[in-house]
Amino acid sequence: MKIAKIIAGMSALSMAAAMAAVPVSAEEAVANSFYPATYDVTYVYSGADIAAVAGDAVVDPTEDALKDKKAQLVGYTNAETGKVDTYNLGFNIQVGHMTNAKLTIEVTSSTNNIYDGTAGTGSGFMYTVQPSWNGNSPKDDEQGWKKYEYEEDGTTQKMAWGACDINNMSTGKGKFNGEWAQITLTDTDVSALTFTVHVDCSESTWEYHPYSADEPQNNNYRVFSMTAGTVKPNNVDTYVEDPEQGFWGIVDIDEINKQIPGGVTSPEAGDSKSDSSSTADSSSTSSNTNSSSSSSSSSNTSSKTSSTTTTTSKTTTTTTTTTTASTASTAASDNTENAASGAAAGVGLAIAALAGAAIVVSRKR
């Protein structure tokens, strides 16, 4: 049926309703909705900076010994030899305003102290031992080897949901997804390490927010945070320090918004439009192993977060889940609200610091 015939048969009331359903401006992108945009960045972090956060190694730790540490260096006594010969370095990592990023964290050592299952080597990947915070990364639905851990028979590998190398690992369909990451060492020389983080956003969508002439400090998107924001990348200047959430690698707002149809960029990017109004305030509640609540504005470099954390040490990994919803055309309400890091970074800081502390390396017999 031709469109002319359809219109001819419509009442005035139905035509008015149909017209009301058409967006007022089809040219401008909708804040808080998700749109495809590509980006690729590599961050390099100094082992010396992380060593300063981790401090001295804690051997065969109790819960209190590691409480509130943002990076943990944990030593384990070999039951067969009675000596401490392996160490786990672990901390929280988190991606930002994008979905479906591919994340790689490669670690190199100038002293070959990265444990490979039998001895030390010069390189390896950080790895996960449990599902992601949002519980919606593809790897969360797969069982993987809890690296260098064996059952009591000494030969059967221990398996866990979400355990994998962080090597082109998909961060999943929710923004601000986070993870406990760790690497096993043969000694305590964390300063010998270099951490190279590659964030590939070639298949990502981004939570759109327009350029704001009134709030230039917020004209960026957050990309990645290391060690709960306690260390900054030392190879780039594109990072921001949030008073509550620490250091975040960022990308300029124009880099993303110019790829979004109707995205508002700065006049300097060749678009005469600028938006000086911020997105409406909103709040969200995230539910996981820990309790975290947040109220955040449209600022993406600052937020007010309050959280209550209950930490429990277990001999198995801790699984955390957060309900998420994010599509390319629907406003998201997972973990954070609007363009701010909000609850997401709060969740990052609230996740039990002991998440990886009980991951004991066991010997293969």
Side-chain angles (χ1 to χ4, degrees), residues 213-285:
D214 290 345
E215 299 180 332
Q217 74 277 10
N218 299 329
N219 288 327
N220 56 68
Y221 288 89
R222 297 195 181 201
V223 179
F224 182 77
S225 175
M226 188 83 151
T227 62
T230 58
V231 296
K232 61 185 177 182
N234 58 17
N235 67 317
V236 297
D237 294 326
T238 51
Y239 64 84
V240 65
E241 182 178 11
D242 185 285
E244 294 184 0
Q245 313 305 343
F247 293 104
W248 276 86
I250 59 173
V251 56
D252 185 83
I253 196 169
D254 288 339
E255 180 70 21
I256 303 303
N257 285 3
K258 69 183 180 182
Q259 301 179 56
I260 297 174
V264 179
T265 60
S266 65
E268 290 77 11
D271 190 331
S272 60
K273 295 185 297 180
S274 66
D275 185 275
S276 60
S277 61
S278 60
T279 307
D281 289 347
S282 58
S283 60
S284 66
T285 301

Side-chain angles (χ1 to χ4, degrees), residues 53-56 58 65-73 90 180 353-354:
V53 178
D56 295 333
V58 179
L66 294 173
K67 187 176 182 181
D68 298 328
K69 291 176 72 71
K70 296 298 186 293
Q72 303 168 5
L73 182 59
W180 177 266
L354 289 169

